[in-house]
């Protein structure tokens, strides 16, 4: 009698989902026990989001930052399905998809990102551009080209959100527009990069000042129109003209995830135990943005690419161990530091006691992210292009 092969369904092809799938495919399985691994994502490409900013200034090309899943998974046993998840039936162990029959699972990894928070401000969905996907980057470039080719003497850009994404995007746009740009960074709290090391925050503040980027702290956005926005600073509302609004506010948990009959934690994220399993459902794992996970001290772990990559190693191992009757490993987050790009050829790095800024930090960041690209083949292709590009431009 032939044993049924276990099926592992992974929902979401971001850092948590893709890297879990790749790690699972690399683990050692006994003959006949190798499971079927199915990766499901609504898009056809993986987005290496920390390098998405380089598309604004043409420092990198889209194939480097967003390789197709079919290319990354070409020589693996991972099956990729491009589909939107429309439902998860926990009782029947079924995942409903928008374009094909439901698919059953023995182990499920939920690694889906959140949904846009644009609906919280009037006019944001119509007039603001988010910056999370390749399509967002294309849309931004198209709009910047229109403004650059217009007769406008000054291009007024507002970046909403003073976290990592807002600071990095503001610097890139400022470098692209040069003297023609008038950039302002809007942050609802009292300071930018509230959770960053002091070194990175101070370096970023210097980079923003150097580029004459105005910071509106303690400020919220009340309304966005086609050519203006209303800002509320401590109860005083001002209406200012604007040509482009960029939205970098953190996404929120989708309704699909929020409505699942599972235990939820902070931000409506899915609560997980130390093994990254959902509470009372050991066959369901959660990694990435929607996992409400704690570190060894009980503190909530931030939703970053670094965290998702580390979670993927533990998640893959624990699925492998569970299928083979081995002990599971408790997730232990190891903070490795923080890196931010601050315009063209500049960055800041604070990692493992090392603090770098400027061109050296830019190079270090590039090398670290080259190493973090999902497959060796893609690492080699991108690395060769980085070496060859300057030679071709001589």
């Amino acid at each position: 009698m032939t044993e049924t092969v276990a099926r592992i369904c992974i929902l979401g092809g971001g850092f948590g989902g893709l890297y879990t799938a790749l790690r699972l495919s690399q683990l050692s399985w006994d003959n006949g026990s190798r499971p079927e691994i199915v990766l499901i994502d609504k898009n056809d490409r993986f987005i290496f989001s920390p390098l998405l900013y380089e598309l604004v200034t043409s420092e990198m090309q889209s194939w480097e930052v967003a390789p197709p899943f079919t290319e990354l998974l070409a020589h693996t046993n991972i099956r990729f399905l491009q589909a939107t998840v429309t439902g998860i039936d926990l009782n029947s162990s079924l995942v409903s998809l928008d374009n094909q029959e439901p698919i059953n699972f023995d182990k499920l990894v939920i690694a889906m990102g959140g949904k846009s928070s644009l609906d919280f401000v009037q006019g944001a969905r119509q007039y603001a551009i988010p910056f999370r996907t390749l399509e967002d980057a294309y849309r931004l470039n198209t709009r910047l080209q229109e403004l650059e080719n217009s007769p406008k003497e000054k291009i007024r850009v507002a970046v909403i959100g003073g976290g990592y994404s807002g600071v990095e995007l503001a610097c890139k746009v400022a470098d692209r527009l040069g003297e023609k740009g008038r950039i302002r960074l809007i942050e609802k709290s009292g300071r930018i990069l509230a959770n960053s090391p002091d070194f990175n925050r101070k370096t970023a503040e210097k980079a923003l000042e150097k580029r004459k980027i105005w910071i509106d702290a303690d400020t919220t956005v009340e309304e966005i129109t086609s050519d203006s926005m209303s800002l509320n600073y401590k109860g005083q509302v001002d209406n200012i003209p604007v040509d482009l609004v960029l939205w970098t506010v953190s996404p929120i948990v989708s309704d699909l995830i929020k409505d699942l009959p599972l235990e939820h934690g902070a931000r409506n994220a899915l609560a997980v135990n130390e093994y990254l399993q959902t509470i009372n459902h050991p066959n369901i794992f959660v990694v990435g943005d929607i996992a409400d996970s704690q570190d060894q001290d009980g503190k909530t772990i931030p939703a970053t690419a670094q965290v998702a990559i580390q979670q993927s190693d533990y998640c893959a191992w624990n699925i492998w161990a569970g299928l083979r009757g081995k002990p599971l490993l408790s997730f232990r987050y190891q903070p490795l530091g923080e890196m931010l790009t601050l315009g063209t050829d500049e960055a800041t790095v604070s990692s493992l006691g090392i603090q770098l800024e400027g061109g050296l930090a830019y190079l270090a960041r590039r090398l670290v992210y080259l190493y973090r690209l999902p497959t060796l083949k893609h690492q080699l292709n991108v690395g060769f292009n980085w070496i060859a590009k300057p030679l071709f431009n001589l």
Side-chain angles (χ1 to χ4, degrees):
M1 184 173 178
T2 304
E3 287 189 26
T4 303
V5 175
R7 174 179 287 161
I8 304 167
C9 279
I10 302 173
L11 311 182
F15 284 101
L18 174 63
Y19 285 55
T20 296
L22 290 171
R23 184 68 179 127
L24 276 167
S25 72
Q26 295 162 355
L27 290 170
S28 176
W29 299 90
D30 295 332
N31 290 334
S33 70
R34 180 175 290 276
E36 180 186 6
I37 304 169
V38 182
L39 178 65
I40 302 171
D41 195 276
K42 64 182 179 180
N43 300 305
D44 65 340
R45 292 171 179 265
F46 165 70
I47 305 296
F48 196 94
S49 51
L51 293 175
L52 195 62
Y53 309 96
E54 270 76 343
L55 297 184
V56 177
T57 47
S58 300
E59 294 168 87
M60 294 184 67
Q61 301 173 55
S62 59
W63 69 266
E64 298 174 292
V65 178
F69 284 113
T70 52
E71 176 185 302
L72 295 175
L73 305 178
H75 301 291
T76 71
N77 65 324
I78 302 167
R79 179 158 66 104
F80 173 66
L81 295 178
Q82 185 177 358
T84 297
V85 176
T86 57
I88 303 172
D89 188 329
L90 304 183
N91 295 323
S92 302
S93 297
L94 286 174
V95 175
S96 299
L97 306 175
D98 66 332
N99 56 6
Q100 52 193 289
E101 293 297 313
I103 184 169
N104 68 294
F105 61 85
D106 297 287
K107 301 284 186 181
L108 181 68
V109 180
I110 305 178
M112 302 159 63
K115 69 173 185 177
S116 168
S117 56
L118 287 165
D119 293 327
F120 289 103
V121 172
Q122 185 176 346
R125 184 163 293 280
Q126 295 93 324
Y127 302 112
I129 299 178
F131 196 76
R132 299 180 60 216
T133 68
L134 188 61
E135 288 70 27
D136 293 336
Y138 288 156
R139 184 181 168 195
L140 171 56
N141 275 328
T142 298
R143 182 56 181 153
L144 285 173
Q145 288 172 4
E146 292 172 353
L147 292 170
E148 288 167 328
N149 295 330
S150 73
K152 291 179 178 289
E153 293 184 5
K154 302 299 178 184
I155 299 173
R156 300 158 300 187
V157 181
V159 181
I160 302 175
Y164 305 120
S165 184
V167 170
E168 293 181 293
L169 190 56
C171 288
K172 290 292 188 186
V173 172
D175 278 6
R176 170 164 172 167
L177 296 178
E179 292 297 322
K180 201 172 183 180
R182 289 293 181 270
I183 321 295
R184 64 194 309 147
L185 186 63
I186 301 162
E187 168 56 38
K188 67 178 181 179
S189 68
R191 62 179 182 176
I192 64 167
L193 300 174
N195 298 318
S196 289
D198 288 340
F199 176 80
N200 279 2
R201 185 185 311 109
K202 291 175 182 177
T203 304
E205 287 171 348
K206 289 190 295 183
L208 294 169
E209 184 179 0
K210 172 184 172 182
R211 290 165 176 79
K212 300 179 181 179
I213 297 173
W214 181 266
I215 300 176
D216 286 303
D218 292 315
T219 301
T220 57
V221 181
E222 296 205 339
E223 183 181 5
I224 302 171
T225 71
S226 60
D227 58 3
S228 69
M229 64 191 306
S230 297
L231 300 180
N232 187 325
Y233 174 71
K234 297 182 177 179
Q236 179 179 336
V237 179
D238 290 319
N239 193 54
I240 63 170
V242 67
D243 300 304
L244 171 63
V245 178
L246 301 177
W247 188 272
T248 68
V249 179
S250 299
I252 59 175
V253 173
S254 69
D255 294 337
L256 186 150
I257 298 299
K258 193 186 304 183
D259 294 340
L260 283 176
L262 295 168
E263 186 172 323
H264 293 72
R267 304 174 293 108
N268 285 315
L270 295 174
V272 295
N273 62 17
E274 67 270 30
Y275 307 118
L276 300 174
Q277 298 164 308
T278 55
I279 310 303
N280 299 324
H281 288 78
N283 287 331
I284 301 177
F285 295 76
V286 185
V287 296
D289 292 357
I290 60 169
D292 182 32
S293 180
Q294 283 77 42
D295 63 14
Q296 298 91 309
D297 299 321
K299 296 179 180 178
T300 299
I301 299 173
T304 64
Q306 178 186 162
V307 171
I309 292 172
Q310 291 188 32
Q311 287 175 332
S312 69
D313 283 337
Y314 282 84
C315 181
W317 178 271
N318 285 340
I319 291 173
W320 174 87
L323 290 173
R324 299 192 63 183
K326 306 288 185 181
L328 307 190
L329 291 177
S330 297
F331 175 58
R332 291 292 181 264
Y333 172 54
Q334 299 294 328
L336 300 177
E338 175 185 283
M339 302 183 294
L340 288 85
T341 180
L342 298 174
T344 306
D345 298 330
E346 289 187 45
T348 181
V349 174
S350 183
S351 175
L352 304 177
I354 299 173
Q355 296 179 335
L356 301 173
E357 61 179 302
L360 189 58
Y362 177 87
L363 177 60
R365 174 179 172 273
R366 277 290 192 99
L367 292 175
V368 169
Y369 284 151
L370 179 64
Y371 172 73
R372 282 298 191 183
L373 291 176
T375 66
L376 177 60
K377 181 180 179 182
H378 193 59
Q379 291 170 2
L380 293 174
N381 288 340
V382 173
F384 176 78
N385 191 54
W386 288 357
I387 295 171
K389 189 175 180 180
L391 299 177
F392 291 133
N393 290 336
L394 291 177

